[in-house]
């Protein structure tokens, strides 16, 4: 899981005469960071530790290979699966004076459970386009977790009383 730390023993086939520092490499350092393994003199094992990088990006889970290589000992690798902890959810919050009146602007904050790695086209639709003007299909920026936009209530001369308008936000992948 993103943000987690794990460890395992790196075991050699025999004890070492002097302490060793064995470097570890990660096949994807942007998702999993590793530290060297220290094997004390007179022993044949040391604790390997790695940490998954916790970010706000909505990503697929990925398998990262952790490899240890040391002269005269060869190399060994172990696959580690990093599970993304962000969710593909959208939340919409509206801020306006109630009751809303014609000509009023309704400020919206649209928040994502995890940021996209690319810009994504966003669609805002309303159940009454004759009463509410939506912005021209804005784009949700890469790495963004929230965006502010607004809706405009249309003015007309009709007396219509209380009306309900449903706002729907859609974003591919969410």
């Amino acid at each position: 899981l993103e943000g987690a730390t794990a460890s395992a023993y790196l075991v050699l086939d025999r004890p070492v005469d002097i302490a060793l520092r064995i470097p570890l490499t990660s096949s994807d350092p942007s998702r999993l960071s590793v530290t060297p393994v220290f094997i004390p003199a007179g022993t044949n094992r040391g604790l390997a530790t790695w940490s998954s990088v916790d970010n706000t990006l909505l990503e697929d889970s990925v398998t990262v290979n952790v490899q240890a290589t040391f002269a005269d000992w060869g190399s060994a690798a172990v696959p580690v699966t990093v599970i993304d902890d962000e969710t593909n959810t959208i939340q919409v919050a509206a801020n306006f004076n109630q009751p809303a009146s014609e000509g009023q602007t309704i400020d919206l904050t649209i928040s994502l459970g995890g940021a996209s790695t690319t810009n994504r086209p966003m669609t805002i639709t309303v159940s009454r386009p004759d009463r509410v003007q939506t912005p021209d299909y804005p784009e949700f920026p890469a790495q963004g977790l929230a965006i502010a936009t607004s809706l405009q209530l249309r003015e007309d001369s009709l007396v219509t009383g209380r009306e309900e308008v449903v706002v729907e936000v859609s974003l591919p992948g969410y």
Side-chain angles (χ1 to χ4, degrees):
L1 188 63
E2 284 186 340
T5 298
S7 57
Y9 280 100
L10 174 66
V11 181
L12 302 176
D13 62 355
R14 62 186 179 275
V16 295
D17 295 330
I18 60 170
L20 296 180
R21 179 184 180 271
I22 300 177
L24 296 180
T25 57
S26 167
S27 64
D28 188 348
S30 71
R31 299 294 300 271
L32 190 71
S33 63
V34 296
T35 58
V37 176
F38 293 95
I39 300 181
T43 68
N44 70 335
R45 67 184 191 162
L47 194 60
T49 304
W50 50 83
S51 298
S52 57
V53 177
D54 194 7
N55 58 31
T56 58
L57 298 177
L58 181 63
E59 306 161 296
D60 291 330
S61 296
V62 65
T63 298
V64 178
N65 287 314
V66 176
Q67 184 165 344
T69 304
F70 198 74
D72 299 328
W73 293 90
S75 65
V78 62
V80 177
T81 301
V82 178
I83 300 170
D84 189 37
D85 64 351
E86 281 73 41
T87 59
N88 61 340
T89 57
I90 300 176
Q91 292 181 336
V92 180
N95 184 18
F96 60 97
N97 295 325
Q98 292 191 16
S101 58
E102 292 180 355
Q104 183 177 348
T105 298
I106 298 175
D107 295 320
L108 297 180
T109 301
I110 302 166
S111 304
L112 304 180
S116 173
T117 56
T118 60
N119 291 346
R120 300 232 181 195
M122 179 173 56
T123 305
I124 300 173
T125 56
V126 293
S127 60
R128 294 287 310 270
D130 59 317
R131 303 295 293 147
V132 180
Q133 180 180 342
T134 60
D136 292 330
Y137 305 102
E139 197 168 61
F140 212 100
Q143 315 291 328
L145 287 174
I147 188 171
T149 189
S150 60
L151 305 175
Q152 185 72 37
L153 299 182
R154 298 181 191 270
E155 291 190 44
D156 65 22
S157 59
L158 301 175
V159 177
T160 54
R162 184 178 175 92
E163 296 179 77
E164 183 176 303
V165 176
V166 177
V167 177
E168 184 177 296
V169 177
S170 61
L171 193 68
Y174 287 83

